[in-house]
Amino acid sequence: FGISGLPGCGKTSLGKWIEAAALELNWTVKVISLDDFYLPSKELDEAMAGNPWQVPRALPGSHSIQLLKETIQAWKSTGHLKSPHFDKSLRSGNGDRAGWSFSNPDVLVIEGWFLGCQLNKGKSNLRDDYLIDIEPMTSTEKDYQVVIQRELKKYQSIWDEFERIWHLKAIDFMSTKRWKTQQESNLQRERGASLHGEALDLFHRMVQTSIPLESIQSVKSDVIVQLNQARQIRWV
């Protein structure tokens, strides 16, 4: 199963609840994040170099696609799951891989902020006129959207591996800014390192402009859960 939703919407919290609830039903469910498949630090830095938002990760192209596919396929064929763990607090908040996780789940759930996101079919979707209440996109950002689309194409075969995808869809797209800020504040309090200040502002800008809104809000999914600004479920 895949769970898609904007940064900070509650994917990780939902995953922890699913794992705990599954134990009560004598099921073994493992929830992992697309983020755990970020490239090793050196490769990650090289892949993210030159992006207009100066983000150290999170963009399409920052993950080890081959490792992700091999991990899913190996679990499907053997029942054994070996997955990496990425610690976002390392390297002053830039993050790095931090070991491996081993399990034998009956059900595997993977969550990610652009999981299931499809390619744009027309150039008209690469305009900035769908953005509301933010500064217009720069020419550099528009040009880099083309790079993002090229990288996103590599993920399409991963989405095909899922039996079902759930989309935690924000009623107000701009809610993600508040959610992500809260998430990073918690990370700073718990781990002593996080995105903040200008780096956090640029991350928000990346989410707003790197992938056209139509793609982010129209994930091809089997279940849609609409969330209000308080992350309350309003409709399923």
Side-chain angles (χ1 to χ4, degrees):
F1 281 69
I3 297 178
S4 184
L6 291 169
C9 74
K11 300 183 297 298
T12 299
S13 297
L14 174 61
K16 291 178 180 178
W17 183 88
I18 289 174
E19 288 183 333
L23 290 176
E24 297 295 320
L25 301 172
N26 294 318
W27 297 347
T28 304
V29 177
K30 180 67 174 178
V31 182
I32 61 178
S33 174
L34 192 62
D35 293 353
D36 286 319
F37 290 85
Y38 283 136
L39 294 162
S41 57
K42 183 178 179 180
E43 296 176 47
L44 181 61
D45 291 345
E46 291 174 354
M48 294 294 94
N51 76 79
W53 310 281
Q54 303 173 41
V55 293
R57 55 181 187 269
L59 286 169
S62 59
H63 304 89
S64 178
I65 299 297
Q66 187 60 33
L67 176 60
L68 177 55
K69 177 173 283 191
E70 290 174 355
T71 298
I72 294 173
Q73 293 179 343
W75 169 74
K76 284 184 174 181
S77 61
T78 68
H80 303 303
L81 179 68
K82 177 185 177 182
S83 59
H85 172 66
F86 191 89
D87 188 339
K88 296 178 181 178
S89 69
L90 297 178
R91 298 198 304 146
S92 301
N94 286 342
D96 201 357
R97 285 192 183 173
W100 297 79
S101 173
F102 301 86
S103 57
N104 299 280
D106 300 313
V107 178
L108 175 61
V109 180
I110 303 178
E111 54 92 353
W113 81 272
F114 63 85
L115 188 148
C117 188
Q118 304 296 310
L119 295 168
N120 289 291
K121 300 302 182 182
K123 291 183 179 179
S124 62
N125 286 336
L126 296 177
R127 298 177 304 177
D128 62 4
D129 56 1
Y130 59 81
L131 297 170
I132 302 174
D133 296 331
I134 70 170
E135 292 294 322
M137 290 177 64
T138 66
S139 59
T140 303
E141 288 173 329
K142 291 179 181 179
D143 289 342
Y144 210 83
Q145 271 198 348
V146 177
V147 176
I148 296 298
Q149 288 296 301
R150 184 182 68 224
E151 293 298 329
L152 188 58
K153 185 176 182 180
K154 301 174 183 178
Y155 291 76
Q156 303 306 301
S157 62
I158 299 295
W159 310 157
D160 293 339
E161 295 286 342
F162 292 103
E163 295 292 334
R164 297 285 188 276
I165 292 179
W166 290 13
H167 184 194
L168 307 184
K169 184 176 180 179
I171 295 174
D172 178 5
F173 175 80
M174 299 303 289
S175 297
T176 185
K177 184 174 182 178
R178 176 192 299 177
W179 297 340
K180 181 62 176 177
T181 299
Q182 293 171 346
Q183 185 183 62
E184 291 298 321
S185 295
N186 292 337
L187 186 62
Q188 180 67 37
R189 184 169 56 254
E190 296 169 3
R191 305 300 302 277
S194 65
L195 295 176
H196 58 276
E198 183 181 9
L200 182 56
D201 290 339
L202 287 169
F203 185 94
H204 293 321
R205 177 73 179 180
M206 179 275 294
V207 173
Q208 294 165 348
T209 60
S210 61
I211 301 176
L213 180 60
E214 293 91 340
S215 295
I216 290 295
Q217 292 291 74
S218 301
V219 171
K220 186 177 181 181
S221 56
D222 302 275
V223 176
I224 297 175
V225 180
Q226 286 193 341
L227 304 177
N228 64 14
Q229 289 186 347
R231 299 187 188 85
Q232 296 171 325
I233 296 173
R234 307 307 298 169
W235 180 81
V236 179

